[in-house]
Amino acid sequence: MTSVTLVGINAKYIHSNLAIRCLRQAVVPRPVGLVELTINDTITHCVDRLLSQEPLVYGFSCYIWNIRYVLELAEILKASSPKCQIILGGPEVSYDASQILGAHPFIDAIVCGEGEEAFTQIIQAIDSGTDYKEMTIPGLVVKDRPRQATLQSLSHLEATPFAYTPGDLEALKGRIIYYETMRGCPFRCAYCLSSTLSGVRTQPLDRVFKELDFFIKHQVRQVKFVDRTFNVNPSRANQILAFLAAQPGDTNFHFEIAADLMDDEMFRIIASAPVGRFQFEIGVQSTHDPALQAITRKTDLTQVKANIRCLVALGNCHIHADLIAGLPHEDYHTFGRSFDTVIALGPQMLQVGFLKLLKGTRLREAAGDFGCRYRSFPPYEVISTQALSAMELQDLRHIEEMVDRYYNSGRFTHTLGFALKSRRWASPFAFFEALSRYWYAAGYDRGAQSRDQLYVILFEYFKAKRAEALAVELLALDARLQGIRKLPHGLLEGPVDSEQSFEILKDEDFVSAFLPELTAHTPKNRHKQVLFMPASSDLREYLDQEGETVVIYKDRFTLV
């Protein structure tokens, strides 16, 4: 049989590629090689890996984050092994296949849309000695015979085999596993590739439960559902969530959901789940009605906000909310209001993304209608619009960096919980705006900043802004909760007297209640693992606790 190698080039090592595994399983029992690399690997390393496979066919899975890397790699492979076939597939090559083939003569063919059926026919043809380029294969566009291919989608998703084997999970140990129970999306958001396909196709639930059980039994760390709007059918979503909530193990499951489609039963199921079992990503995108109308995104914002608050209040799942900067009709100030509205809901992460004018989307076709200028190269990110200047978008990128470093890191929870409500800043958006200007004015963007240095920078920023002493005290608390013992004078000052701290750790009743893991340890050994800081009257009032000393162990603390 002809040797075939499928190549997935991921954005990060922790990621994995679902597409190449779907294609491999589509031609079982025929052997197909898989190679996964990252865009951070050197070209030399990748060429070494791929040439050593010595296949006659290389298949690449192409996305906005890897297409330039794929093209560079494919050109080298073709020059090194002229008889090999280079076949591309994926969303980044499915909408302008003929143009890509014309511009890159080292590519032999492109599969447009969902590729299981086309890939199977190509491999069968090659194995039988037939020239697949002379065949009429739905979705296939070949060199020297350019044509406009129809984007292919499978009519019967249940016919596709399960993508993973036990060997895959062993090879991917510790990495994110991507999984699908459906394809398609009923909504027509103008910026999204899912809007280019019609209909939603689902896997039967008995199969879904069996496959999820497979992940759990193999102790996968995280399974990330790639289903668009997982809860578009609330009843079906609830059955899957209920199944997972009742399972043993520590596997985390990540879902992209529409918050306004959640019902009481879904909240009941989520509330019953173990802490950390579920993670929900909620695309709010904007709270500005003209922007939402322009992208044909129908959503009940009142319900979205209420349901995010309820999810956060449950306290047993991680909530990740998304906003998009650069949407039509949303200017700098209205984006700031969207930002303030969403961050006030209390999600653990607020991802500020920037509009990408993806190939095949209606928003790309209508870019001129709202004065959108965007990069002509991947990821096709917005540069300016009628409502947002290029400099304003740069300012938003600076703000996004601060949000990611400080808010999304989860290392400044108490500090930001206070600072974002402080009257010293007009709003949370104003806080991050001012912090970003301080950061860039001081030149911190010109070098890498360590975890400890982030505390120092925020401390210096608070001093420059004459922030309340309580803000600095909470920053010291957050630093100690990260196990940091040494920081500049003024931030971690006023250590608790060692005799006093030893007395606290000699109290066996206290240790049993707050430090049960250390009951078998001596006070001296306990002292090496526990941190202390004095508690001001302001801190005691803010935390609503009595006591003069904060006792900190790992990620928890109490006052005594």
Side-chain angles (χ1 to χ4, degrees):
M1 288 185 180
T2 304
S3 176
V4 178
T5 294
L6 295 173
V7 187
I9 300 177
N10 304 316
K12 298 179 180 179
Y13 175 78
I14 197 171
H15 298 166
S16 60
N17 188 292
L18 172 61
I20 60 174
R21 291 179 170 83
C22 289
L23 296 179
R24 177 199 60 191
Q25 295 303 99
V27 296
V28 166
R30 190 218 190 279
V32 171
L34 297 185
V35 173
E36 283 193 270
L37 305 160
T38 80
I39 57 175
N40 300 309
D41 292 324
T42 66
I43 286 290
T44 299
H45 168 74
C46 295
V47 170
D48 286 344
R49 285 280 307 276
L50 294 175
L51 285 180
S52 68
Q53 301 280 311
E54 298 184 337
L56 287 183
V57 178
Y58 289 103
F60 287 91
S61 179
C62 303
Y63 304 89
I64 55 174
W65 63 80
N66 71 10
I67 184 61
R68 287 193 284 181
Y69 199 99
V70 166
L71 292 174
E72 184 177 350
L73 193 53
E75 183 175 24
I76 296 171
L77 292 173
K78 192 69 166 182
S80 303
S81 181
K83 292 184 179 180
C84 76
Q85 295 284 301
I86 304 287
I87 303 176
L88 307 186
E92 185 52 25
V93 295
S94 288
Y95 296 89
D96 57 351
S98 293
Q99 294 92 314
I100 292 173
L101 287 168
H104 304 93
F106 49 85
I107 301 171
D108 293 283
I110 292 176
V111 175
C112 302
E114 296 173 11
E116 286 95 339
E117 292 180 352
F119 179 69
T120 300
Q121 292 182 55
I122 291 169
I123 298 307
Q124 288 173 345
I126 292 174
D127 287 344
S128 65
T130 303
D131 186 355
Y132 72 90
K133 296 179 182 179
E134 298 298 323
M135 298 171 60
T136 301
I137 298 176
L140 181 66
V141 182
V142 299
K143 186 172 64 175
D144 302 326
R145 289 179 55 199
R147 64 185 179 89
Q148 188 65 37
T150 302
L151 213 61
Q152 295 301 299
S153 58
L154 303 181
S155 55
H156 300 291
L157 192 60
E158 64 273 14
T160 61
F162 182 44
Y164 294 96
T165 68
D168 288 330
L169 299 191
E170 183 62 33
L172 297 173
K173 190 175 289 292
R175 295 161 71 179
I176 299 171
I177 299 297
Y178 295 89
Y179 175 66
E180 63 179 358
T181 75
M182 67 182 190
R183 292 182 187 176
C185 181
F187 304 112
R188 292 290 174 264
C189 300
Y191 59 84
C192 182
L193 280 176
S194 294
S195 67
T196 63
L197 299 172
S198 60
V200 175
R201 294 148 292 144
T202 61
Q203 296 283 15
L205 285 178
D206 57 347
R207 169 176 167 171
V208 171
F209 296 154
K210 182 179 179 181
E211 292 171 353
L212 292 174
D213 185 61
F214 175 80
F215 292 136
I216 293 167
K217 286 180 176 176
H218 282 83
Q219 300 178 336
V220 170
R221 189 180 77 172
Q222 184 181 56
V223 176
K224 197 165 189 176
F225 281 60
V226 296
D227 300 356
R228 297 299 180 189
T229 317
F230 167 74
N231 63 327
V232 65
N233 180 337
S235 174
R236 181 177 186 274
N238 286 343
Q239 291 180 72
I240 294 173
L241 292 173
F243 173 82
L244 293 174
Q247 300 307 306
D250 298 320
T251 302
N252 169 262
F253 295 89
H254 176 110
F255 305 90
E256 180 182 315
I257 64 170
D260 54 336
L261 297 182
M262 300 182 72
D263 57 18
D264 291 342
E265 176 66 6
M266 184 170 289
F267 278 108
R268 187 195 66 75
I269 294 167
I270 295 169
S272 72
V275 174
R277 176 60 48 85
F278 296 137
Q279 181 168 305
F280 297 103
E281 182 174 352
I282 300 169
V284 181
Q285 318 311 11
S286 174
T287 62
H288 187 52
D289 284 335
L292 293 173
Q293 291 170 13
I295 60 175
T296 60
R297 185 171 178 83
K298 297 179 180 179
T299 187
D300 182 341
L301 282 176
T302 300
Q303 196 65 53
V304 166
K305 290 185 284 187
N307 286 349
I308 291 177
R309 287 193 192 97
C310 288
L311 277 174
V312 171
L314 288 178
N316 66 338
C317 51
H318 182 93
I319 310 303
H320 176 159
D322 296 339
L323 287 172
I324 298 177
L327 293 176
H329 312 309
E330 185 158 66
D331 62 20
Y332 188 84
H333 299 292
T334 52
F335 180 83
R337 288 199 289 271
S338 290
F339 182 100
D340 288 335
T341 297
V342 174
I343 204 168
L345 302 175
Q348 283 83 2
M349 287 189 70
L350 173 56
Q351 179 171 305
V352 177
F354 293 84
L355 180 64
K356 295 171 178 59
L357 284 296
L358 301 176
K359 294 177 182 179
T361 61
R362 287 181 290 118
L363 206 57
R364 181 171 173 134
E365 295 172 1
D369 295 345
F370 62 102
C372 179
R373 293 183 174 87
Y374 61 94
R375 303 176 190 181
S376 62
F377 49 86
Y380 314 111
E381 198 166 277
V382 62
I383 297 172
S384 67
T385 71
Q386 286 176 344
L388 268 171
S389 70
M391 286 307 299
E392 286 173 327
L393 270 163
Q394 283 301 104
D395 287 341
L396 291 179
R397 289 185 175 92
H398 296 166
I399 290 169
E400 182 272 336
E401 183 180 359
M402 296 300 99
V403 172
D404 202 47
R405 286 180 181 271
Y406 285 98
Y407 185 87
N408 291 344
S409 72
R411 296 171 180 159
F412 300 84
T413 305
H414 301 91
T415 310
L416 294 179
F418 172 77
L420 296 185
K421 296 176 182 177
S422 169
R423 294 181 181 178
R424 197 161 298 275
W425 293 275
S427 68
F429 183 76
F431 171 86
F432 285 109
E433 179 185 54
L435 177 59
S436 70
R437 288 174 179 169
Y438 175 85
W439 179 284
Y440 278 83
Y444 291 124
D445 61 304
R446 294 193 286 272
Q449 306 300 333
S450 68
R451 178 199 64 170
D452 291 9
Q453 188 64 18
L454 292 179
Y455 287 92
V456 175
I457 292 170
L458 193 54
F459 173 54
E460 296 294 340
Y461 172 69
F462 282 158
K463 287 201 302 183
K465 294 295 181 180
R466 298 182 179 178
E468 298 94 327
L470 180 56
V472 175
E473 197 169 5
L474 289 166
L475 182 61
L477 174 60
D478 279 328
R480 284 184 166 97
L481 284 167
Q482 292 297 314
I484 298 174
R485 292 175 179 267
K486 294 182 179 180
L487 279 177
H489 178 74
L491 178 53
L492 294 186
E493 63 180 349
V496 174
D497 178 75
S498 60
E499 184 175 338
Q500 179 186 353
S501 60
F502 266 106
E503 286 301 315
I504 293 172
L505 295 178
K506 289 177 182 177
D507 184 340
E508 296 300 332
D509 289 338
F510 169 77
V511 172
S512 296
F514 180 67
L515 304 168
E517 304 97 321
L518 303 182
T519 52
H521 294 241
T522 65
K524 184 177 181 180
N525 190 272
R526 293 167 185 167
H527 202 272
K528 295 177 181 178
Q529 303 179 61
V530 179
L531 296 175
F532 300 86
M533 63 179 279
S536 70
S537 58
D538 286 343
L539 182 64
R540 294 196 295 270
E541 181 180 354
Y542 180 76
L543 297 175
D544 193 23
Q545 291 191 39
E546 295 295 328
E548 297 181 352
T549 302
V550 185
V551 182
I552 303 156
Y553 179 66
K554 294 185 177 179
D555 60 352
R556 63 182 189 267
F557 70 92
T558 190
L559 269 64
V560 295

